[in-house]
Amino acid sequence: EVAAEVIAEGLLRKPIVADLGSLTVIDGHHRLEFLKRVGATVAPVALVDYWDPRIIVARWDGGGFIDKRVVVSRAARGELFPPKTTRHVFSAGDRTVHISEVIPSVNIELRALLEHALARAELAPLSAAYSAASLSLKRSGGAPGDRRRGRT
């Protein structure tokens, strides 16, 4: 569903939402997985203070709430909840809305994210070559033609 929407529009409308302290993803898991699958190496992320009391973790099934400490602890261990278990909402006075409704849209073209990944891939061999040359210079004691003491 997310993949079809992003591909059809060529646009990623909402950022991934993550906790500022732990970087735990609290909204946008499907968008993040889609971006990984298509080869993106960066993603727009909105960082929030997860411990803000206005952010509440409700259950999608309406069966109460989930302790944020449990969410962060499970994420740190790689034990994600099954899909549609947690529903992060923002309490704004007398109304409660899904957290994605209070996070501004980013409207980033998918093409731009993929071009960034391509540019990084093209630069990787250059970076590796630079590192190898640098290591070679360190081992030999200098650059070729360097006439300082002990070098040729």
Side-chain angles (χ1 to χ4, degrees):
E1 163 184 329
V2 169
E5 179 182 312
V6 173
I7 290 171
E9 295 180 1
L11 200 64
L12 187 68
R13 294 194 176 280
K14 289 288 189 174
I16 311 305
V17 181
D19 171 45
L20 176 64
S22 66
L23 300 181
T24 298
V25 173
I26 62 173
D27 185 58
H29 291 88
H30 291 106
R31 290 186 298 276
L32 183 59
E33 285 306 313
F34 166 74
L35 290 172
K36 287 178 184 178
R37 277 197 321 270
V38 297
T41 56
V42 295
V45 177
L47 297 174
V48 299
D49 178 4
Y50 193 45
W51 305 107
D52 183 318
R54 296 172 295 178
I55 298 175
I56 300 164
V57 188
R59 292 184 165 279
W60 271 101
D61 63 10
F65 301 94
I66 299 172
D67 188 316
K68 293 177 189 177
R69 292 173 296 194
V70 173
V71 173
V72 172
S73 175
R74 285 182 63 139
R77 293 190 312 267
E79 297 173 8
L80 302 182
F81 285 96
K84 300 294 181 191
T85 300
T86 61
R87 182 172 186 266
H88 289 86
V89 295
F90 187 82
S91 178
D94 61 341
R95 69 176 239 193
T96 301
V97 296
H98 190 269
I99 196 157
S100 66
E101 294 181 42
V102 296
I103 300 295
S105 296
V106 290
N107 296 325
I108 294 178
E109 291 185 0
L110 178 59
R111 179 182 49 79
L113 294 172
L114 297 178
E115 285 174 355
H116 181 273
L118 181 60
R120 284 190 65 187
E122 290 173 351
L123 290 175
L126 297 176
S127 177
Y130 173 79
S131 295
S134 176
L135 180 60
S136 175
L137 290 175
K138 287 178 185 173
R139 285 186 182 152
S140 69
D146 187 346
R147 303 234 183 250
R148 286 178 284 166
R149 197 175 93 190
R151 297 183 177 117
T152 60

